[in-house]
Amino acid sequence: MLYLFLRRFLVAPLVKLLFRPKVTGVEHVPTDGPALLVSNHLAFSDSIFLPVSIPRQIVFPAKSEYFTGPGLKGKLVATFFRSVGQIPIDRSGGRASLAALNTGLGILEKGGLFGIYPEGTRSPDGRLYKGKTGVARMAIVAGVPVIPVAMIDTEKLQPPGRIWPVWFYREKGRLLPRLVRPGVAFGKPLDFSRYEGMERDRFVLRSVTDEIMYALMDLSGQEYVDMYADKAKELLKAGESIDAHVRLGDTKAS
């Protein structure tokens, strides 16, 4: 109930009034029944623009830190995320991540929409990074339509490290408005039913994941980088070149 109230009467009208997001391809999202929405990830606000772009509720995995914060603020944040249908995901890997994916499968089995970012984290520079194979395992096991979703220009509105949108920028000593209209583009559903029962084959998982990432690249127009985004963030933090490591074949997360 809180989700419907926030979306219909508060968040959606406010987002549409302030940002006028351009939404295309909504007809590719089923009006009922399960579907897996796979999206590129450019900014924190992706998890706001995407849910308000369609009438159905989308459940997203959220960082487990959002549910474990200390004090009153932590409890309020956790309550908000739970109220709008978010589920915690432990990004430490292994069994923790598998449990989160199983929760997503449960949502799909109930006929819901589940959203996931295959890159695993936000892009550090606006490019599209290598997808993690958990999304392929979920797609094969669930056997539901996989809808690619491209978030467009949200990183220009909310650059990395910024909590609030950037409304103005400075040029030659003048403060000018930053006119950015973000976009949400839904692509045609992908069908991976031909891989039924092959969710343990790592070559199949990589093939399916790469097909999903290619669809996102085609839909978003982003440059693709054959490296995991978390590895890229580590390199940038260390002051090293992402492209140099790609050329050397050092693309795996450490």
Side-chain angles (χ1 to χ4, degrees):
M1 291 299 293
L2 179 57
Y3 174 88
L4 292 175
F5 174 79
L6 289 175
R7 187 198 177 284
R8 186 174 301 174
F9 300 108
L10 181 62
V11 179
L14 194 60
V15 166
K16 292 175 181 178
L17 175 65
L18 295 176
F19 304 106
R20 301 183 301 111
K22 182 179 179 180
V23 181
T24 60
V26 176
E27 68 274 10
H28 297 308
V29 182
T31 55
D32 56 62
L36 179 61
L37 277 65
V38 295
S39 175
N40 62 336
H41 198 12
L42 296 171
F44 176 79
S45 56
D46 294 341
S47 295
I48 298 175
F49 287 116
L50 178 49
V52 302
S53 63
I54 59 174
R56 295 184 63 187
Q57 179 176 358
I58 307 172
V59 176
F60 275 95
K63 291 192 298 184
S64 58
E65 295 94 310
Y66 293 149
F67 298 84
T68 57
L72 179 60
K73 180 181 178 181
K75 291 181 180 179
L76 290 175
V77 170
T79 299
F80 172 78
F81 276 94
R82 289 193 180 95
S83 298
V84 296
Q86 308 296 290
I87 61 171
I89 181 171
D90 187 334
R91 300 197 298 181
S92 61
R95 292 183 178 180
S97 295
L98 182 60
L101 291 176
N102 287 337
T103 301
L105 287 172
I107 292 166
L108 293 172
E109 289 174 359
K110 295 177 182 178
L113 297 179
F114 189 74
I116 191 169
Y117 300 114
E119 293 167 279
T121 186
R122 279 168 273 174
S123 169
D125 56 12
R127 296 188 289 180
L128 184 68
Y129 284 80
K130 190 173 182 177
K132 297 190 176 182
T133 58
V135 66
R137 183 175 291 107
M138 180 177 289
I140 294 172
V141 173
V144 300
V146 177
I147 315 294
V149 186
M151 307 305 301
I152 301 171
D153 289 341
T154 54
E155 85 287 3
K156 296 177 182 177
L157 184 67
Q158 186 186 28
R162 300 297 294 262
I163 298 177
W164 302 103
V166 177
W167 299 97
F168 300 93
Y169 69 99
R170 190 174 295 278
E171 181 179 290
K172 296 180 180 180
R174 294 188 302 165
L175 199 61
L176 302 175
R178 182 182 293 270
L179 303 176
V180 177
R181 186 184 182 188
V184 184
F186 296 90
K188 295 181 179 179
L190 304 175
D191 179 13
F192 297 109
S193 58
R194 62 191 182 277
Y195 296 116
E196 183 178 358
M198 303 175 70
E199 66 273 7
R200 295 183 182 276
D201 187 317
R202 62 189 182 94
F203 295 105
V204 168
L205 293 177
R206 175 45 56 192
S207 176
V208 170
T209 304
D210 288 346
E211 186 174 339
I212 290 171
M213 302 312 292
Y214 181 85
L216 290 177
M217 179 183 69
D218 189 52
L219 193 62
S220 68
Q222 290 172 279
E223 176 187 348
Y224 178 76
V225 183
D226 190 24
M227 173 186 285
Y228 291 115
D230 46 6
K231 171 68 175 181
K233 287 184 175 181
E234 291 176 6
L235 293 174
L236 289 177
K237 188 176 181 180
E240 299 184 43
S241 168
I242 294 173
D243 294 326
H245 279 261
V246 171
R247 287 192 294 269
L248 292 172
D250 179 18
T251 60
K252 295 182 178 180
S254 57

